[in-house]
Amino acid sequence: MPVIRLVTVLPQEESTPFWRLVLKQFDDLLVKILIAAAVVSFFLALANGETGLSAFLEPSVILMILAANAAVGVITETNAEKALEELRAYQADVATVLRNGCFSILPATDLVPGDIVEVSVGCKVPADMRMVEMLSDQLCVDQAILTGESSSVEKELDRTDVSNAVYQDKTNILFSGTVVVAGRARAVVVGVGSNTAMGSIRDSMLKTEDEATPLKKKLDEFGTFLAKVIAGICILVWIVNIGHFRDPAHGGFLGGAIHYFKIAVALAVAAIPEGLPAVVTTCLALGTKRMARLNAIVRSLPSVETLGCTTVICSDKTGTLTTNMMSVSKVSVLHSAYDVPVVAEYSVSGTTYAPEGTIFDNTADTQLEMPANSQCLLHTSMCSALCNDSVIQYNPDKRCYEKIGESTEVALRVLAEKIGLPGFDSMPSALNMLSKHERASYCNRYWENQFKKVSVLEFTRDRKMMSVLCNRKQIQIMFSKGAPESILPRCTTIMCNNDGSTIRLTPEIRSEIESKFHSFAGKETLRCLALALKRMPVEQQALSLDDENDLTFIGLVGMLDPPREEVKNAILACMTAGIRVIVVTGDNKITAESLYQRIGAFDHLDDFTGISYTASEFEKLPASQKTVALQRMAIFTRVEPSHKKMLVEALQHQNEVVAMTGDGVNDAPALKKADIGIAMGSGTAVAKSASDMVLADDNFATIVAAVAEGRAIYNNTKQFIRYMISSNIGEVVCIFVAALLGIPDTLVPVQLLWVNLVTDGLPATAIGFNKQDSDVMKSKPRKVNEAVVSGWLFFRYLVIGVYVGLATIAGFVWWFLYSDNGPKLPYTDLMNFDSCSTRDTNYPCTVFSDQRPSTVAMTVLVVVEMFNALNNLSENQSLLVIRPWSNLWLLGSIVLTMLLHVLILYVQPLSILFSVAPLSWSEWTVVFYLSFPVILIDEILKFFSRNPTGLRFNFRFRRTDLLPKQEVHDR
């Protein structure tokens, strides 16, 4: 019924309307200031009687920039909403349900609590269900997407007695979306739709609000600060010039008030870096391209910069630090009863399902060229292939090998492939000539063709073993595999590896084997299986439990979900960079601690006390101890999705910038909550959609490279923000000083707009290509409340800004006073230009509306900022060390900017639009003389920055922040 369907599936969340997404992009103070400036400029132009392009140019350009930034924001947020939709893909489509006294296949959406459902191997569990009947000896479920456990979980009918049980403890519950990998059973539905474990993940994702990135917070602070500055400047300009409101040139008090209001608006336009949003977006977009080449696919532009201040990486264990592919790493067999040592041990390389790897003899310290020539390894291969129900196959679309069935059985399949086949001189190189599809199970199929399966004794919880009776050339052999504690007591003989002979299993040899088993299972925390065989009567066609006695022991195999080979160096690099790594997993504590040791990056840790916690242990701690535990924690185990999100929130409350890695559905809420969520490329679609970044190669080491890139991007971002700020300070100083001196308007708003958008924007963008510092990963992460420009740097850029403004004014005044093309006025006449019409002069009053002086001033402003751009190749290094050609993009942008500027000076339609005129060679010479000293001034300031004297300045000015600090993570 329709009413039932509403509660049996994950509800489809109503998406945010497009118009609301668009409006959200303009909910920013800096953006609102820009919009206000555009509107005011438009109405002032109309008030002056301007029409056509000149009236609309400035507001139109500003609005076009804002529209472009809004488009990027809308696209990013639209992608983020896909996570909730993709979560629905993990629901089963159909279910085998008991209705009207018989089982029938119905849509999973028709399930209601109380329904009896039957599941078997390969089924996706359609709802949360409680086990009521076991139809096979065991039922195993792969619930890694929900809990992150590296191995399948054996389910049982009995309820758990654990208090505060997490999902991993609920062994009598089948969870929606998980997959049955072994057995068959019936269960009663107890939860559907939003009332399932998968539904709780959806609800958690809905409740998670996106946090603003550190850079976004800094720009928001900058907008607030800028609003105050602009308001103060406008008021100050009015106060300073109240006495001039009644000047005859203004036509009355009201005319004077409007005139100086226009000057205030011009100051506002000068103070606002109109190109900043576009430059930030462009720089971050360039960063995403560089990261893509590192196999880090960025889904959210701001996350590029967030990486640079990451202090903690909460790394999911299964599939992130490990391969999430169970593989045999050790094999132990009896070499010979007459040799010392008695037991031989082999290491097996290869950590994936690919049939690629070598067998290394640890005892002889040699690699086996033909492993199948060793008798115990040969029979290990036979037993692994025959006593097995799993399948391994090659997926050409994903270009990888995939499993069907139990992970431990798949590991044995792969081991059989690595051991190879006997009797061929070209082994194992001949196998490499096969196609990947043929190679996937070539050796396994060989043994399955050689032996015909006659009878099978399935695995049971009581016996902890399984056996298969096989026939080959009138020889009946029973192969058995199982827990060593079950197989060894049933063995009376043992096979020798050197010649294939069988000898009595003496107490001494049994003790050696048991010792090796305890070493594998204890110190090395390997999952161990013992393999055995037995010759059976030729006429026997069925197996009984009594047949599983008097076995011949073949060998012991140890397997694990191995760490990725590159993880050790990656974690060491994180430590050097001051980034803490916390392993977060649904596995048990011992397994996680063993992985921590096996990685090899934590050899300095002898004791895990105080750094390793289960979720339940951590929740029981008092609040004060939780704070201490979070500061030292390195391992967090037995977690479910809510715990991962809780950990991220707790760390964020301690002002940590948290990166969370993961690949499963269970990781999605934490990925979305973290400052930067990092999903694995092979992970679930839900994890990818909830993340900010996807690692295409599933390589933890890629995170380190991405962090280094993020730090470099932030450093470059700081450089171009400082560059634009110093330029804008210069523009403000220029207009403000002109107003104080009482000289004509130095620059008109359209000229300021040209400088802010083009001549500032292009070099600022090119600064984003500055090379990464060699020691970028040797310093501690920056603090998120660190001001972009503060202390001594504020003083430096204030000095530069003041010089830029004064040089621009100097160019303007020079034309009136000294230029051969100018009127060569007395300075007092220039200061009293307003009263020109009331005085007798030997020059026309129209000279004060000549376009040449503002053109000289504008050109000085452009050229001085080009030199200032070169200053920003490095924060403190001299141009003699960091040469200009170290960033060819910057040189190219300077050349292009100057070409564009020359274009508007000498091309007629553009010169009229921007109120400029062509300059003579002598005027260009003066422009150069006024502009170049900015290089010398900044070199002196850089010298003090590198010198201890500069440190004293830093101490003295440390409280002066251009971008005010505020407490972050105030959640």
Side-chain angles (χ1 to χ4, degrees):
M1 294 187 298
V3 176
I4 294 177
R5 284 181 182 273
L6 288 175
V7 297
T8 57
V9 297
L10 290 180
Q12 185 166 0
E13 192 63 23
E14 188 174 324
S15 60
T16 307
F18 180 77
W19 63 268
R20 187 170 294 173
L21 281 177
V22 173
L23 288 180
K24 183 179 177 182
Q25 310 310 315
F26 294 94
D27 187 19
D28 179 270
L29 186 56
L30 183 58
V31 171
K32 291 174 183 176
I33 293 172
L34 288 172
I35 294 174
V39 172
V40 171
S41 298
F42 175 69
F43 281 109
L44 283 177
L46 291 181
N48 282 345
E50 297 180 25
T51 57
L53 186 61
S54 60
F56 289 94
L57 178 66
E58 184 176 334
S60 299
V61 173
I62 292 176
L63 293 177
M64 283 170 57
I65 293 170
L66 297 178
N69 281 279
V72 173
V74 169
I75 292 171
T76 301
E77 295 205 22
T78 303
N79 288 337
E81 289 198 350
K82 293 179 181 178
L84 294 175
E85 181 60 30
E86 286 170 341
L87 185 62
R88 297 160 61 88
Y90 288 88
Q91 295 178 274
D93 297 323
V94 296
T96 304
V97 191
L98 180 62
R99 293 280 173 89
N100 301 320
C102 63
F103 281 94
S104 56
I105 298 177
L106 298 175
T109 53
D110 287 347
L111 289 178
V112 294
D115 272 338
I116 301 296
V117 177
E118 185 173 306
V119 293
S120 57
V121 177
C123 286
K124 186 180 290 184
V125 178
D128 280 8
M129 306 186 296
R130 177 171 49 81
M131 298 270 292
V132 293
E133 184 180 0
M134 192 80 76
L135 301 177
S136 60
D137 294 321
Q138 66 167 347
L139 184 81
C140 293
V141 177
D142 182 355
Q143 52 189 42
I145 66 165
L146 180 66
T147 63
E149 291 167 287
S150 57
S151 57
S152 58
V153 178
E154 187 176 342
K155 296 294 183 177
E156 54 190 21
L157 299 177
D158 300 331
R159 61 177 295 176
T160 181
D161 295 326
V162 178
S163 58
N164 299 321
V166 295
Y167 292 146
Q168 294 91 323
D169 298 324
K170 299 175 182 178
T171 53
N172 65 328
I173 299 294
L174 305 180
F175 297 105
S176 175
T178 59
V179 179
V180 179
V181 295
R184 182 165 157 258
R186 289 173 182 166
V188 59
V189 175
V190 295
V192 294
S194 297
N195 295 321
T196 62
M198 202 70 74
S200 68
I201 291 177
R202 168 191 170 276
D203 293 339
S204 179
M205 292 172 67
L206 284 174
K207 293 176 183 176
T208 301
E209 296 182 1
D210 293 332
E211 295 288 341
T213 67
L215 183 60
K216 177 66 165 62
K217 291 174 182 176
K218 284 294 146 197
L219 292 178
D220 289 344
E221 292 174 28
F222 179 54
T224 303
F225 174 70
L226 199 58
K228 297 175 182 177
V229 169
I230 291 172
I233 289 174
C234 292
I235 293 172
L236 188 59
V237 167
W238 266 41
I239 292 175
V240 168
N241 289 283
I242 285 178
H244 297 284
F245 282 9
R246 297 186 183 274
D247 288 349
H250 303 317
F253 184 87
L254 182 61
I258 293 175
H259 172 77
Y260 286 104
F261 182 69
K262 285 173 61 180
I263 294 177
V265 171
L267 273 169
V269 173
I272 300 172
E274 287 89 349
L276 182 58
V279 172
V280 170
T281 301
T282 303
C283 186
L284 295 180
L286 293 172
T288 64
K289 286 190 175 182
R290 289 199 293 269
M291 286 190 174
R293 291 196 292 267
L294 300 173
N295 290 312
I297 311 301
V298 176
R299 299 185 64 256
S300 170
L301 283 182
S303 64
V304 175
E305 175 271 333
T306 309
L307 276 169
C309 54
T310 299
T311 58
V312 178
I313 297 177
C314 295
S315 177
D316 184 48
K317 179 186 81 71
T318 306
T320 306
L321 294 176
T322 69
T323 62
N324 194 22
M325 298 181 186
M326 192 67 70
S327 64
V328 174
S329 64
K330 293 288 182 67
V331 178
S332 182
V333 299
L334 176 67
H335 179 64
S336 171
Y338 309 105
D339 295 334
V340 178
V342 174
V343 177
E345 180 182 301
Y346 298 96
S347 295
V348 184
S349 68
T351 58
T352 67
Y353 294 142
E356 302 162 359
T358 58
I359 313 294
F360 191 84
D361 187 343
N362 294 343
T363 307
D365 197 24
T366 58
Q367 179 180 321
L368 298 186
E369 296 298 332
M370 300 182 68
N373 288 351
S374 300
Q375 291 300 310
C376 286
L377 290 180
L378 175 64
H379 286 81
T380 295
S381 177
M382 293 180 191
C383 187
S384 298
L386 298 169
C387 206
N388 204 314
D389 293 323
S390 67
V391 176
I392 183 169
Q393 60 189 16
Y394 182 73
N395 186 328
D397 296 329
K398 296 182 179 179
R399 297 183 180 180
C400 66
Y401 293 88
E402 295 179 337
K403 65 160 185 157
I404 299 176
E406 181 67 43
S407 297
T408 53
E409 292 197 339
V410 174
L412 292 177
R413 288 273 189 205
V414 176
L415 175 63
E417 297 297 329
K418 292 176 180 178
I419 292 174
L421 302 174
F424 298 96
D425 293 336
S426 58
M427 286 294 297
S429 59
L431 295 173
N432 297 329
M433 301 180 69
L434 300 172
S435 68
K436 291 184 179 295
H437 178 74
E438 293 174 314
R439 181 68 187 92
S441 296
Y442 186 85
C443 298
N444 282 274
R445 286 197 300 271
Y446 174 84
W447 293 121
E448 288 171 344
N449 291 333
Q450 291 290 313
F451 290 87
K452 177 184 176 183
K453 289 187 181 181
V454 178
S455 178
V456 177
L457 275 179
E458 295 287 352
F459 178 94
T460 64
R461 187 179 294 107
D462 296 333
R463 290 165 39 246
K464 293 184 179 179
M465 62 182 294
M466 74 169 288
S467 298
V468 56
L469 179 63
C470 300
N471 178 279
R472 183 194 187 200
K473 298 178 181 180
Q474 300 301 310
I475 299 177
Q476 296 274 79
I477 301 179
M478 181 184 72
F479 291 100
S480 300
K481 75 168 187 213
E485 60 268 29
S486 296
I487 295 287
L488 262 174
R490 300 171 186 265
C491 293
T492 55
T493 57
I494 187 169
M495 180 180 291
C496 294
N497 192 42
N498 61 339
D499 58 6
S501 61
T502 300
I503 63 172
R504 189 172 68 87
L505 183 57
T506 64
E508 293 79 9
I509 297 176
R510 187 184 298 272
S511 176
E512 288 278 351
I513 298 295
E514 289 176 345
S515 175
K516 185 61 67 174
F517 162 55
H518 292 308
S519 174
F520 280 5
K523 182 179 179 181
E524 301 185 50
T525 61
L526 301 178
R527 176 176 297 179
C528 294
L529 286 177
L531 308 179
L533 59 78
K534 181 181 180 181
R535 286 286 296 269
M536 304 295 291
V538 176
E539 66 280 358
Q540 186 165 336
Q541 296 298 310
L543 291 176
S544 66
L545 296 180
D546 292 336
D547 291 325
E548 295 181 323
N549 291 309
D550 299 324
L551 303 178
T552 298
F553 186 83
I554 300 173
L556 184 72
V557 296
M559 58 187 71
L560 77 161
D561 180 12
R564 297 179 181 274
E565 296 176 356
E566 62 280 349
V567 163
K568 176 181 178 179
N569 290 335
I571 291 180
L572 289 174
C574 287
M575 291 178 176
T576 304
I579 301 171
R580 188 155 53 103
V581 178
I582 300 177
V583 178
V584 183
T585 178
D587 275 335
N588 62 59
K589 195 173 184 179
I590 295 175
T591 302
E593 290 175 355
S594 170
L595 171 72
Y596 215 69
Q597 292 174 322
R598 189 174 286 112
I599 288 173
F602 310 100
D603 296 337
H604 58 287
L605 296 176
D606 298 325
D607 185 10
F608 288 101
T609 304
I611 65 171
S612 177
Y613 296 89
T614 65
S616 59
E617 288 173 349
F618 181 77
E619 287 184 320
K620 292 176 183 177
L621 292 175
S624 59
Q625 292 185 28
K626 280 184 179 179
T627 301
V628 176
L630 283 170
Q631 294 171 352
R632 296 191 60 211
M633 182 184 291
I635 303 173
F636 196 45
T637 55
R638 300 300 281 176
V639 299
E640 55 185 36
S642 60
H643 293 135
K644 293 185 177 184
K645 184 180 175 184
M646 175 269 293
L647 175 64
V648 171
E649 291 175 337
L651 288 168
Q652 287 175 333
H653 278 300
Q654 292 194 353
N655 287 341
E656 303 280 7
V657 178
V658 184
M660 176 76 189
T661 71
D663 59 353
V665 172
N666 60 312
D667 299 318
L671 288 173
K672 190 173 182 183
K673 179 63 181 174
D675 294 287
I676 177 163
I678 306 173
M680 300 296 111
S682 62
T684 61
V686 178
K688 293 176 188 175
S689 295
S691 67
D692 300 298
M693 190 174 82
V694 179
L695 301 184
D697 58 357
D698 286 10
N699 192 336
F700 184 84
T702 302
I703 298 175
V704 181
V707 168
E709 188 64 37
R711 290 187 175 188
I713 288 170
Y714 180 73
N715 289 340
N716 292 340
T717 302
K718 286 197 300 183
Q719 286 299 97
F720 72 64
I721 287 177
R722 292 167 182 170
Y723 164 70
M724 297 188 81
I725 287 173
S726 63
S727 299
N728 282 79
I729 289 175
E731 295 167 18
V732 170
V733 168
C734 168
I735 295 176
F736 187 70
V737 171
L740 285 178
L741 296 177
I743 62 178
D745 296 341
T746 310
L747 299 169
V748 297
V750 70
Q751 292 171 343
L752 287 170
L753 190 64
W754 171 261
V755 173
N756 284 346
L757 294 181
V758 181
T759 60
D760 280 1
L762 291 177
T765 304
I767 288 171
F769 287 95
N770 284 350
K771 289 185 178 179
Q772 186 182 116
D773 293 338
S774 58
D775 60 348
V776 71
M777 286 299 286
K778 295 180 181 178
S779 58
K780 302 298 180 185
R782 77 177 195 277
K783 295 181 180 178
V784 290
N785 59 352
E786 173 189 296
V788 177
V789 178
S790 61
W792 165 247
L793 278 176
F794 170 69
F795 174 77
R796 275 179 54 184
Y797 288 93
L798 183 62
V799 170
I800 295 295
V802 169
Y803 178 78
V804 169
L806 293 179
T808 305
I809 287 287
F812 184 82
V813 173
W814 169 85
W815 189 87
F816 280 104
L817 272 59
Y818 305 109
S819 174
D820 293 334
N821 299 322
K824 295 187 177 180
L825 304 176
Y827 181 66
T828 53
D829 282 11
L830 180 62
M831 290 184 62
N832 296 299
F833 79 98
D834 286 342
S835 59
C836 177
S837 59
T838 64
R839 292 184 284 109
D840 291 331
T841 62
N842 57 1
Y843 53 87
C845 291
T846 55
V847 72
F848 295 112
S849 59
D850 196 304
Q851 294 178 346
R852 283 183 179 275
S854 63
T855 304
V856 171
M858 179 185 177
T859 306
V860 170
L861 181 59
V862 169
V863 176
V864 77
E865 290 185 5
M866 295 305 99
F867 285 123
N868 192 30
L870 294 176
N871 289 333
N872 285 276
L873 281 169
S874 174
E875 183 177 308
N876 294 317
Q877 290 298 321
S878 168
L879 281 174
L880 299 176
V881 177
I882 306 294
R883 304 297 174 87
W885 50 86
S886 66
N887 187 343
L888 294 178
W889 287 100
L890 181 57
L891 292 181
S893 70
I894 291 173
V895 171
L896 178 59
T897 299
M898 291 308 302
L899 288 175
L900 290 173
H901 185 68
V902 168
L903 194 67
I904 68 168
L905 292 186
Y906 295 98
V907 175
Q908 187 67 37
L910 294 176
S911 61
I912 296 173
L913 182 63
F914 288 97
S915 302
V916 293
L919 296 183
S920 66
W921 180 252
S922 62
E923 289 167 337
W924 274 107
T925 303
V926 171
V927 166
F928 178 82
Y929 284 147
L930 289 173
S931 303
F932 184 75
V934 76
I935 293 279
L936 303 178
I937 294 172
D938 200 54
E939 284 294 310
I940 294 171
L941 294 172
K942 285 180 178 179
F943 171 78
F944 282 113
S945 293
R946 299 189 300 269
N947 189 280
T949 306
L951 297 179
R952 288 198 291 272
F953 276 115
N954 189 34
F955 174 79
R956 190 174 302 166
F957 289 98
R958 68 184 184 275
R959 294 186 177 276
T960 308
D961 294 342
L962 184 59
L963 300 189
K965 295 182 181 180
Q966 69 176 29
E967 290 300 317
V968 294
H969 293 306
D970 185 18
R971 298 174 173 85

